[in-house]
Amino acid sequence: MNYSILIVDDDREIAGLIEIYLKNEGFKTKLAANGREALELFEAEPFHLVVLDIMMPEMDGLEVCRHIRKSKSVPILMVSAKAQDLDRITGLMTGADDYVIKPFHPLELTLRVKALLRRAYADRSPNEMDREEEGRIHIGSLAINKRNHTAEVDGRPLALTSKEFGILLLLAGQPGRVFSAEDIFRQVWKEKYFDANNTVMVHISNLRDKLEQELGDKLIATVWGVGYKIDN
């Protein structure tokens, strides 16, 4: 198995025990000691599942779960010492797929991990999932598929022209970078630039309207006198 699992728990002894059991089953693992570290790792590399403790310093597991759910549907198994039904319901409503109460037997957790992976990925291999994710750009609830030239918001297709999609892909592919109208025209239209600033402005205006209608955010920022950018 090539599934990669992120284990998030500020109790290093518990995290280490979970890691031993999961590694014995052939899973790849990474450890994070708090919520902020978990999100940094999650953004830096792909994971197929997250084992997430709720009670942690700096940022608790519920907040981490909310952040992940803004852009990814990766399975999340919450772990907590809170045994009340309300706590379990809160965790599941936040976006967790399953909930285990401490103290737990590591074998039970391992079986739940396997069950979540089976349900989430069915007939797709981890390598196929990685290849699919490599072809996507996520900005909040917006997902851009570079391979089939589509964009969607929370699973709803975003109706874009080919030029609008090209602009969105260009800006979203390098968040924070400012592209001039000339840069955009050359790279999207792939033609020589003959003062086509108005053409670019019209397409960006239409794209912004569509993004705002679906996202509630125009997303594309104007840097006056310089060009346009998207901040991730």
Side-chain angles (χ1 to χ4, degrees):
M1 294 180 184
N2 293 315
Y3 290 109
S4 182
I5 298 174
L6 177 60
I7 302 166
V8 190
D9 200 313
D10 62 321
D11 187 322
R12 295 188 179 278
E13 186 175 337
I14 291 177
L17 183 62
I18 294 172
E19 182 177 42
I20 289 170
Y21 271 77
L22 293 181
K23 279 189 171 181
N24 284 343
E25 294 296 325
F27 297 117
K28 295 185 293 184
T29 61
K30 281 285 181 71
L31 300 181
N34 58 64
R36 296 193 185 282
E37 184 182 346
L39 290 179
E40 288 175 4
L41 283 170
F42 194 83
E43 291 300 321
E45 58 187 282
F47 290 97
H48 301 101
L49 183 141
V50 180
V51 177
L52 180 62
D53 185 34
I54 291 183
M55 300 299 291
M56 293 185 295
E58 296 190 42
M59 181 187 292
D60 66 24
L62 295 174
E63 188 64 24
V64 173
C65 185
R66 291 189 190 99
H67 276 279
I68 291 175
R69 282 291 174 260
K70 287 179 181 178
S71 60
K72 302 288 178 67
S73 58
V74 57
I76 297 174
L77 173 59
M78 277 193 173
V79 178
S80 177
K82 294 185 173 183
Q84 298 297 320
D85 286 342
L86 182 59
D87 297 317
R88 181 175 181 275
I89 291 168
T90 300
L92 295 173
M93 287 182 65
T94 303
D97 298 277
D98 200 356
Y99 191 101
V100 178
I101 298 168
K102 294 180 180 178
F104 55 83
H105 194 291
L107 182 57
E108 179 194 357
L109 183 137
T110 302
L111 292 174
R112 288 182 183 238
V113 164
K114 288 181 175 180
L116 286 174
L117 290 171
R118 280 197 304 272
R119 290 203 299 266
Y121 303 120
D123 297 329
R124 291 180 293 174
S125 72
N127 289 336
E128 287 173 327
M129 292 298 298
D130 288 343
R131 285 196 296 272
E132 286 181 17
E133 197 56 39
E134 286 170 6
R136 291 178 180 268
I137 297 172
H138 295 275
I139 300 177
S141 58
L142 172 66
I144 304 166
N145 191 314
K146 295 184 282 185
R147 291 201 172 105
N148 60 20
H149 282 237
T150 59
E152 56 185 37
V153 177
D154 288 329
R156 302 186 306 274
L158 193 59
L160 302 177
T161 67
S162 60
K163 293 295 188 285
E164 289 166 355
F165 180 83
I167 293 170
L168 179 62
L169 180 60
L170 177 65
L171 300 182
Q174 299 185 61
R177 176 180 169 182
V178 180
F179 289 86
S180 68
E182 181 175 355
D183 291 333
I184 294 170
F185 191 83
R186 287 182 185 279
Q187 295 192 50
V188 175
W189 273 259
K190 300 188 185 304
E191 298 175 8
K192 289 185 178 180
Y193 181 78
F194 294 108
D195 194 24
N197 184 50
N198 189 55
T199 300
V200 173
M201 284 178 60
V202 169
H203 279 78
I204 284 184
S205 177
N206 291 337
L207 176 57
R208 278 174 164 161
D209 288 345
K210 291 179 180 181
L211 290 170
E212 186 173 29
Q213 184 175 349
E214 290 296 330
L215 286 169
D217 185 344
K218 292 180 182 292
L219 197 64
I220 300 171
T222 299
V223 181
W224 294 107
V226 184
Y228 306 93
K229 68 172 182 173
I230 288 178
D231 291 317
N232 199 344

